């Protein structure tokens, strides 16, 4: 059973992202893409589960073909079908339920794409909110030490709250 572990921020996470970004660019070299470091490991000072989340924006999901998936697999990224998320292609690097890197592909400019950036950028710009998020994650880690689904679900309300604040702030600018 996988244990939920939230660790202090590591400056290595940015370096790990850069290494993986190069691999992903190589695997998808014939596609116009945009790559972003997302999730808690992308927010300086924020503790997280030590999983590097990477987001690729593409014109539409249908442009990703089997040969792209094969190239990603050569770099350790296994495609994991997630029918419950039809607007995303998901790839994991590492063991099942213990991945070290997650690759999320969205249509560039889609709501999912935009929300990921909105959340990340808001927490980057508001360190007190990032600190609150870290406290929540540590509480959830203690409550759901062996239940990753419950841990993730426990963050949902806070994430929606931040997205609402971020959208309101962005609109006011």
């Amino acid at each position: 059973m996988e244990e939920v572990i939230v660790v202090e921020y590591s400056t290595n996470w940015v370096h790990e992202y850069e290494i993986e970004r190069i691999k992903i660019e190589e695997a998808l070299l014939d596609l116009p893409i945009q790559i972003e470091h997302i999730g808690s490991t992308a927010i300086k000072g924020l503790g997280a589960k030590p999983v590097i989340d990477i987001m690729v924006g593409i014109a539409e999901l249908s442009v990703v073909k089997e040969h792209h998936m094969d190239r990603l697999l050569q770099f350790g990224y296994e495609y994991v079908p997630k029918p419950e998320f039809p607007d995303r292609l998901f790839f994991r690097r590492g063991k099942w339920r213990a991945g070290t890197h997650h690759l999320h592909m969205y249509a560039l400019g889609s709501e999912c794409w935009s929300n990921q950036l909105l959340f990340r950028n808001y927490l980057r710009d508001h360190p007190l909110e990032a600190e609150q998020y870290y406290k929540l994650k540590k509480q959830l880690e203690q409550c759901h030490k062996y239940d990753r689904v419950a841990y993730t679900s426990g963050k949902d309300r806070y994430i929606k709250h931040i997205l609402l604040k971020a959208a309101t702030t962005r609109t006011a600018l």
Side-chain angles (χ1 to χ4, degrees):
M1 181 173 286
E2 180 199 1
E3 188 175 359
V4 174
I5 300 172
V6 177
V7 299
E8 294 291 323
Y9 177 79
S10 171
T11 55
N12 275 350
W13 292 339
V14 173
H15 179 68
E16 285 184 50
Y17 160 74
E18 290 298 332
I19 291 169
E20 297 307 309
R21 181 184 56 77
I22 293 166
K23 294 174 186 176
I24 293 164
E25 285 175 344
E26 184 178 329
L28 303 174
L29 60 92
D30 58 331
L31 293 176
I33 60 171
Q34 185 174 332
I35 303 178
E36 297 284 343
H37 185 187
I38 60 168
S40 296
T41 62
I43 301 163
K44 186 176 181 182
L46 180 58
K49 292 191 321 296
V51 176
I52 307 300
D53 282 290
I54 302 165
M55 178 170 70
V56 170
I58 54 178
E60 57 187 56
L61 298 181
S62 63
V63 302
V64 179
K65 305 297 182 196
E66 192 169 327
H67 69 273
H68 296 114
M69 293 183 181
D70 291 343
R71 283 191 232 148
L72 285 166
L73 187 57
Q74 290 174 359
F75 290 111
Y77 287 93
E78 177 185 1
Y79 173 63
V80 180
K82 298 267 185 179
E84 67 274 25
F85 298 107
D87 298 330
R88 174 183 77 169
L89 296 177
F90 178 74
F91 299 80
R92 179 194 68 245
R93 184 163 174 233
K95 295 179 182 176
W96 184 79
R97 288 282 190 205
T100 58
H101 300 73
H102 291 164
L103 174 59
H104 314 262
M105 287 189 190
Y106 298 107
L108 197 57
S110 67
E111 183 179 357
C112 294
W113 170 269
S114 299
N115 282 345
Q116 289 287 349
L117 295 178
L118 197 60
F119 184 77
R120 180 200 68 190
N121 293 345
Y122 189 85
L123 289 185
R124 282 180 172 175
D125 292 341
H126 298 86
L128 293 178
E129 288 285 4
E131 186 177 319
Q132 287 300 114
Y133 187 44
Y134 178 65
K135 287 178 183 176
L136 172 63
K137 292 191 320 175
K138 289 302 280 184
Q139 290 171 352
L140 292 169
E141 172 193 36
Q142 294 306 309
C143 294
H144 305 292
K145 195 74 170 162
Y146 298 99
D147 187 347
R148 188 174 188 158
V149 173
Y151 167 84
T152 300
S153 295
K155 298 184 301 181
D156 190 54
R157 190 171 172 193
Y158 185 81
I159 291 169
K160 287 178 180 170
H161 168 74
I162 291 299
L163 285 172
L164 183 61
K165 286 176 79 168
T168 303
T169 303
R170 182 177 67 178
T171 303
L173 296 177

